[in-house]
Amino acid sequence: MSEEIFYDVIIVGGGPGGSTAASFLAKKGRKVLLLDKEKWPRDKTCGDAISGKSLKVLKELGLIETLEKADHAIITGITFSSPNGKQVSIPFRKNDQGIAKGYVCRRLVYDNLLWNNAKHSGAHTHEGANVLSVIRENGKIVGVKAKMHDGTDAEFRGKIIIGADGVSSLIAREVRGPEVDPDHTCLAYRAYYSGVTGMNDTIEIHFVKSCMPGYFWIFPLENGLANVGIGMIMADVRKKDAKLDKAMLDAIATNPLFKERFANAKMVSPLKAWSLPFGSKKRKVHADNVMLIGDSAGLVDPFSGEGIGNAMTSGFIASKVADEALTANDTSEKFLAVYEERLWKEIWNELNTSYTMQKLGHYEWLLDLVVNKAATSDKAREAIAGTFSNTVAKQGYQSPLFYLKLLLS
């Protein structure tokens, strides 16, 4: 039995990007369908960090207070350690919105908050709807076919399809074909722990020799929980024949920085792997009737590994372009090219700079230099702090003069 319904916009995937786009479009009075294969609330393997970029969109959605009431940890800085074991904590500077803090919120909580907001904004939602294929007419995507939670088949047609279905996106494969670029894809493992000592209101990024050229992280959560993980570029994993799960557990058990801190800690979730499509290359993100957002578009920050901010930013931009296209009655690839133009204008410089910063992980001596100077120099800490709140300051990492200034500071 097949059900066929028509919509202005069909969004496949209810994560931060998809739910953001659905909320904005529904508020504009568009008939929006939001599909997700999971039953909600659902977890999503992630580092759980909520950046200032996310907060900018949350403010537009009116959800800052809602987030404040949910389970979360407030973050006011970042702690680094270098391969030689030196540590430094650096407070955030105020960003362009005057915000000097971020959050860490489990995706089980955060995504559910955004999903419910989309529903309350007027979007039609279907959970447990597994999109298996697209519908094409004259070579163009005009809808999707899904297996519903009750086992029935359904067809949904829309003027615009937004692919927000993650790193393994079906919609992205239909737009640009299958693609996994090992030079621009990160492999990662994550588990939740309780009882980790020494945590404060900073996220921790540790460049541990046994984990390089990737890094090991500890992000504090509510009620003494911690998000603990490790990540490395896929190409480097293959070159090193690295076993990331083993490297993470070995660092916890033997590294002097962590051994005592985890002495009485307990892993309270399975250790899970996932992949992150880094935004260190421009992928095709639109076609006739289609736009791709978030991980489907490959927008994860290549240095921090944070993807929620760019997912929500792309969802916001796509919602505006979709509304304009519907008003103009033109959903062609040519018209939707404005989405790609606005997206890269908003985030490409930052992504490109983060890619340069990511490459620091291949040079132990340079990481030692940066962290050691930050540990002893207020000016060095100020320079580094600016890179996490100001895109212009962040671009300094691309210049040899930045490192000369560090040496002289």
Side-chain angles (χ1 to χ4, degrees), residues 74-265:
I74 292 177
I75 303 302
T76 60
I78 184 167
T79 295
F80 288 109
S81 75
S82 63
N84 65 9
K86 179 71 73 174
Q87 294 190 80
V88 61
S89 294
I90 303 172
F92 293 144
R93 287 169 52 182
K94 288 184 179 179
N95 62 15
D96 297 337
Q97 289 78 52
I99 300 171
K101 67 178 181 180
Y103 299 82
V104 183
C105 182
R106 288 175 295 123
R107 295 287 295 274
L108 181 72
V109 175
Y110 187 73
D111 288 18
N112 197 50
L113 179 157
L114 292 171
W115 171 269
N116 284 328
N117 185 70
K119 286 200 296 186
H120 296 154
S121 297
H124 301 262
T125 60
H126 279 304
E127 52 188 292
N130 189 15
V131 174
L132 299 175
S133 62
V134 300
I135 302 169
R136 290 183 182 270
E137 290 181 358
N138 300 317
K140 300 177 182 180
I141 297 174
V142 296
V144 297
K145 296 180 180 180
K147 179 71 71 174
M148 308 305 285
H149 66 91
D150 60 1
T152 60
D153 297 320
E155 292 189 2
F156 304 101
R157 292 176 181 255
K159 297 175 183 177
I160 294 175
I161 313 298
I162 295 179
D165 45 339
V167 63
S168 300
S169 169
L170 167 71
I171 307 302
R173 289 199 304 272
E174 293 289 340
V175 167
R176 60 175 182 252
E179 180 210 53
V180 177
D181 188 333
D183 291 318
H184 300 277
T185 303
C186 178
L187 297 180
Y189 279 83
R190 180 220 72 182
Y192 291 126
Y193 279 79
S194 64
V196 180
T197 60
M199 291 191 298
N200 50 35
D201 58 352
T202 67
I203 58 173
E204 302 178 39
I205 293 179
H206 299 283
F207 296 98
V208 180
K209 286 188 178 183
S210 62
C211 303
M212 290 185 65
Y215 65 75
F216 172 77
W217 74 78
I218 303 172
F219 292 176
L221 283 160
E222 78 281 357
N223 301 322
L225 287 174
N227 182 314
V228 181
I230 185 174
M232 186 182 293
I233 292 294
M234 182 185 290
D236 291 322
V237 171
R238 293 176 179 176
K239 289 176 187 175
K240 293 170 64 74
D241 192 25
K243 304 295 186 289
L244 292 186
D245 51 347
K246 183 178 185 300
M248 173 179 153
L249 297 176
D250 285 350
I252 288 171
T254 64
N255 190 287
L257 289 179
F258 316 121
K259 185 176 180 180
E260 292 302 319
R261 295 181 60 188
F262 281 82
N264 297 307

